[in-house]
Amino acid sequence: MARIHLGHIFHLAGSPLVSEAVHALVSIPEGALVVEDDGKIAFCGDRAGVPLKYRATPVTDHRPGFLLPGFVDTHVHFPQTFAGDSYNGGQLLEWLNHCIYPAEARFADRNFARRAAVEFCDRRIASGTTAAMVFGSPFPDAQDTLFAETARRGLRIVSGRGIQTVGPQAAKPLMTSEDDAIRLAREEINKWHAADTGNVKTARLHVALVPRFAIAVTAQTLKRLGELYDSVRDRGVYFHTHLNENDRPDTGEVDQTKQIYQVDSYLDTYDGKFLPGSKIGGPSMLGRRSVMAHAVHCQDAELQRMSETGTSIAHCPVSQQFLGSGTMPWLRTVASGVNIAAGTDFGGGDEWPIPQVLATAFKVHISEPGDAGVSMHPAEMLFIGTLGGARALDMEDRFGNFAVGKEADFVVIDPNRTPALKAVITDGVRSDDPAMARDQTLFALLMRARETSIAGTYVQGRKL
């Protein structure tokens, strides 16, 4: 049945770019969100303005809590559910060899994978993450448990088995032949893409093609993946991988990619230009349902190409700090026009809640050297954690803000559940200027929120 939810509402109205987010920011201190029995938003505004026909509708009063759109995590690793804060020294490639490949190999055990799927969904719900782009396990049984548990819990997911056809000895348990890589990817699409409703426009379950990164596959694999992707694009299938994460000289994956493929840019390998000299060897996999994780060390031409194709970036500042990968340059990336969304990258990142990713983003970008340093506006932070994520998943027409007619994905943040959050909300200094006071409250909320602060996570109006 329909229900009215009361609380302080924050969201971004319309369909702004991240650079326009400040002008789209909506704050309604005495807010009301009316959700119809079909799980869609019927009204968002001041509670005094709720239409008369809803005056007898049951009310859930979340005050003094805040109502925000559900958080969207555009890059998180299912087979690293238990691998957060893994230590063995070294940066990305060493960490993969010593910590991550062995951890991911454990998912060959279906019972272990089932436990991980439960934990994975538990952490998402506890963190207020309603939708996620999930880097999956290479083992089909493990992926089956992930999709099944996600469906049971009512969450949204885009995921695909992690594809790897070449690699170091530590990655051998995760690798398949190229024939099997294509076959298993096709089977996963046919089995799970929109399996919950049978319609990609209403489904919560979606499938992506997910090569680990360019050096985990070959030119032939990329060619065949591009051909497969071309054949399923019109079914709404996604593409997801890593890009320009670590540029450690000679041993980072950026340099290795360029050396192995002899290409002008890392992005070329996903853009069909993976033959020496960046010559075309197959179809491009860029597009509005393609999400590139990290993009820390991009050339201007790469950013421009992502922008013009509608490809999005999953910005993962927590893991970039954890692995010493550097900082995605905020001003230069925003100026390119590419869509930017937040990703936890757990377990390279060691935080599940998207607000912690947003807090880290603020800290790293204000610390960029010289004129590149910038104080992110809290509306920009909210954008990459909500609306930008919905856009990256090509589902902005379904969720991401509280526009009437969208599906009611939202999170309730109750400051009383976290004393440190309550303190900054109730006793923090506020400007006499109403707009600045609004921004200060949202900033404090995003910077200080923790798992303990989440009082409710809702998808399509249903509390999970």
Side-chain angles (χ1 to χ4, degrees):
M1 62 186 303
R3 182 164 292 274
I4 300 173
H5 296 269
L6 302 181
H8 187 155
I9 290 173
F10 276 116
H11 78 122
L12 300 167
S15 186
L17 300 174
V18 64
S19 57
E20 302 165 336
V22 60
H23 305 296
L25 180 60
V26 174
S27 171
I28 311 172
E30 290 294 327
L33 190 67
V34 179
V35 181
E36 284 282 13
D37 55 7
D38 62 357
K40 293 185 177 180
I41 296 168
F43 173 85
C44 174
D46 194 276
R47 66 189 182 100
V50 172
L52 286 174
K53 67 177 181 177
Y54 295 111
R55 291 299 169 91
T57 299
V59 173
T60 300
D61 192 343
H62 302 284
R63 295 175 298 176
F66 295 81
L67 308 182
L68 275 63
F71 297 122
V72 183
D73 187 344
T74 56
H75 183 57
V76 58
H77 289 257
F78 167 55
Q80 295 175 25
T81 296
F82 300 123
D85 292 313
S86 295
Y87 172 76
N88 201 305
Q91 294 186 0
L92 176 63
L93 297 184
E94 297 95 337
W95 173 78
L96 288 171
N97 282 321
H98 296 298
C99 301
I100 296 307
Y101 293 144
E104 293 190 358
R106 300 174 72 190
F107 281 64
D109 180 339
R110 184 181 178 90
N111 290 328
F112 183 85
R114 184 179 293 110
R115 296 207 318 271
V118 172
E119 173 67 11
F120 187 80
C121 291
D122 282 348
R123 295 277 63 75
R124 284 187 55 194
I125 293 170
S127 300
T129 300
T130 53
M133 172 74 86
V134 181
F135 195 106
S137 168
F139 303 110
D141 282 352
Q143 284 297 97
D144 287 348
T145 66
L146 173 63
F147 279 114
E149 183 65 14
T150 300
R152 187 181 75 83
R153 306 294 283 277
L155 288 160
R156 300 185 191 271
I157 190 172
V158 180
S159 184
R161 63 176 304 273
I163 296 169
Q164 189 155 2
T165 57
V166 294
Q169 184 62 36
K172 292 292 185 185
L174 310 174
M175 292 163 49
T176 66
S177 68
E178 289 176 354
D179 286 344
D180 283 345
I182 301 302
R183 175 182 61 81
L184 291 170
R186 184 181 289 110
E187 289 176 357
E188 185 173 37
I189 292 166
N190 291 335
K191 183 173 185 177
W192 286 110
H193 192 56
D196 54 326
T197 68
N199 184 342
V200 295
K201 294 181 179 180
T202 60
R204 292 193 302 268
L205 306 181
H206 300 264
V207 176
L209 293 180
V210 187
R212 182 181 289 278
F213 44 25
I215 60 175
V217 293
T218 67
Q220 179 64 15
T221 313
L222 288 172
K223 178 177 184 294
R224 295 182 66 182
L225 283 174
E227 292 169 347
L228 174 58
Y229 194 45
D230 260 9
S231 73
V232 296
R233 275 187 190 264
D234 62 355
R235 294 171 59 184
V237 174
Y238 294 77
F239 180 78
H240 184 48
T241 190
H242 299 87
L243 174 72
N244 286 324
E245 182 176 0
N246 189 291
D247 73 340
R248 188 173 175 182
D250 298 321
T251 61
E253 115 275 14
V254 176
D255 275 2
Q256 288 201 23
T257 299
K258 292 179 180 179
Q259 291 167 12
I260 291 170
Y261 286 93
Q262 294 297 296
V263 291
D264 298 328
S265 77
Y266 195 153
L267 186 68
D268 285 347
T269 61
Y270 306 130
D271 200 12
K273 297 178 287 187
F274 48 75
L275 297 182
S278 290
K279 293 181 179 178
I280 295 175
S284 173
M285 290 176 281
L286 306 185
R288 74 176 192 273
R289 288 187 296 274
S290 298
V291 180
M292 302 290 159
H294 301 294
V296 177
H297 306 286
C298 286
Q299 302 170 29
D300 287 343
E302 291 176 295
L303 293 174
Q304 180 59 39
R305 179 61 176 156
M306 285 188 282
S307 177
E308 68 186 22
T309 58
T311 301
S312 292
I313 290 172
H315 182 25
C316 309
V318 176
S319 75
Q320 287 152 23
Q321 285 194 319
F322 180 81
L323 292 171
S325 298
T327 300
M328 185 197 82
W330 180 256
L331 291 177
R332 186 163 67 88
T333 306
V334 169
S336 73
V338 67
N339 182 53
I340 306 168
T344 62
D345 194 26
F346 199 95
D350 59 349
E351 295 282 0
W352 289 98
I354 286 294
Q356 287 302 289
V357 176
L358 310 182
T360 301
F362 177 85
K363 295 170 188 175
V364 299
H365 294 309
I366 201 170
S367 301
E368 289 189 59
D371 292 340
V374 59
S375 175
M376 288 180 71
H377 193 281
E380 295 175 324
M381 297 164 66
L382 183 64
F383 177 92
I384 67 172
T386 58
L387 190 61
R391 186 171 300 166
L393 300 187
D394 195 33
M395 296 188 207
E396 187 180 355
D397 61 331
R398 295 181 62 185
F399 57 87
N401 63 12
F402 294 143
V404 171
K406 287 193 179 183
E407 296 168 26
D409 289 14
F410 63 99
V411 59
V412 180
I413 302 178
D414 182 356
N416 288 337
R417 294 168 58 97
T418 309
L421 174 60
K422 179 182 179 182
V424 299
I425 293 295
T426 59
D427 295 322
V429 172
R430 295 292 180 269
S431 171
D432 291 334
D433 175 65
M436 178 56 73
R438 172 203 66 187
D439 297 345
Q440 290 169 332
T441 297
L442 177 59
F443 183 75
L445 186 67
L446 296 176
M447 292 293 289
R448 184 61 66 176
R450 301 293 189 270
E451 271 192 27
T452 56
S453 315
I454 306 299
T457 300
Y458 293 76
V459 171
Q460 295 176 315
R462 172 177 170 262
K463 187 176 183 180
L464 305 187

